[in-house]
Amino acid sequence: MKELEEKIVREAQVLPGHVLKVGSFLNQQVDTVFLKKMAQETARLFAGLGVTKVLTVEASGISFATAVAMEMNVPMVFAKKHPSANMSGAQLCSPVYSYTHKTTYNIVVSRDYIKPCDKVLITDDFLANGNALKGLMEIVDQAGATVVGCCAEIEKGFQGGGDELRAKGVKVESLAIVESMTDDGKVTFRS
Ligand code: 5GP
């Protein structure tokens, strides 16, 4: 999405460790009008594939996944990162290494919310090395359900996670793919 690339150039900051900060419209403050446009574009990219659920991981994936699920008229499910007293019954669980927190945590979804008949679209805010998406794919696999594809708002193409999944035949669509970013804030995109 050209408009997303322009927003990144105007508003994003490059932090040390190849972290892109987009708190002004995506990660802390959410530009809801623009979020709707991104969700509409995502629904268009995955139209006609029979998606029955949108799955993401808390916390920063939730706003995008909710907007996409609303466009597709299906439920949104998010994996929890922390054990919670209000989770009971059988659970689907996968370890994920966090790029931003440099630690491994278990993501957990109740078995009640993903069934073998589900066709799941996995979404997240960022796609870097692909660990979060791989963990979510593992959860879908454990449920016996089908992954229809994956969509990130922003992919950092130079970190390779998206291309690794595409090479395995997964339909991966990202609304903007950053090809390079420098410490002085210059960002280029894959064309
Ligand atoms: P991956 O698992 O693909 O390596 O990283 C994706 C996850 O790490 C996303 O859930 C996202 O929250 C976080 N992440 C990775 N890179 C960035 C980044 O440059 N900026 C922000 N804000 N989050 C990132």
Side-chain angles (χ1 to χ4, degrees):
M1 279 179 84
K2 195 78 198 142
E3 213 180 328
L4 176 56
E5 293 182 1
E6 288 166 1
K7 232 170 150 53
I8 292 168
V9 167
R10 263 198 323 272
E11 299 186 35
Q13 278 171 269
V14 179
L15 301 184
H18 288 117
V19 171
L20 199 60
K21 184 178 170 208
V22 285
S24 68
F25 67 96
L26 195 146
N27 272 153
Q28 184 161 24
Q29 172 169 256
V30 176
D31 180 337
T32 54
V33 173
F34 190 61
L35 178 67
K36 193 178 172 82
K37 285 189 194 171
M38 290 193 287
Q40 284 168 339
E41 174 62 3
T42 306
R44 188 188 68 77
L45 290 167
F46 290 89
L49 299 177
V51 171
T52 63
K53 296 258 162 86
V54 177
L55 175 67
T56 192
V57 58
E58 70 176 353
S60 55
I62 292 178
S63 55
F64 179 53
T66 304
V68 172
M70 287 172 76
E71 289 299 327
M72 300 184 108
N73 291 311
V74 297
M76 185 281 289
V77 178
F78 66 91
K80 298 203 178 204
K81 284 179 182 167
H82 306 288
S84 155
N86 58 21
M87 282 195 77
S88 61
Q91 293 175 6
L92 309 159
C93 182
S94 176
V96 169
Y97 177 77
S98 165
Y99 181 80
T100 40
H101 296 105
K102 311 284 178 233
T103 175
T104 299
Y105 51 86
N106 280 317
I107 58 169
V108 185
V109 175
S110 165
R111 239 179 219 284
D112 291 342
Y113 305 135
I114 304 182
K115 297 293 186 191
C117 59
D118 276 320
K119 291 185 167 187
V120 182
L121 170 60
I122 296 174
T123 66
D124 204 359
D125 57 343
F126 274 88
L127 165 54
N129 296 304
N131 294 317
L133 294 187
K134 282 185 227 162
L136 290 165
M137 288 175 74
E138 164 68 23
I139 295 254
V140 175
D141 196 48
Q142 283 174 27
T146 307
V147 174
V148 167
C150 300
C151 185
E153 292 172 284
I154 302 174
E155 175 176 340
K156 293 186 290 179
F158 57 90
Q159 288 183 264
D163 290 335
E164 192 190 317
L165 291 173
R166 289 182 188 101
K168 289 182 180 156
V170 181
K171 178 175 166 63
V172 180
E173 303 280 358
S174 299
L175 302 182
I177 303 183
V178 174
E179 201 56 86
S180 70
M181 50 199 223
T182 58
D183 288 344
D184 61 357
K186 192 168 163 5
V187 179
T188 65
F189 299 92
R190 190 179 289 184
S191 48

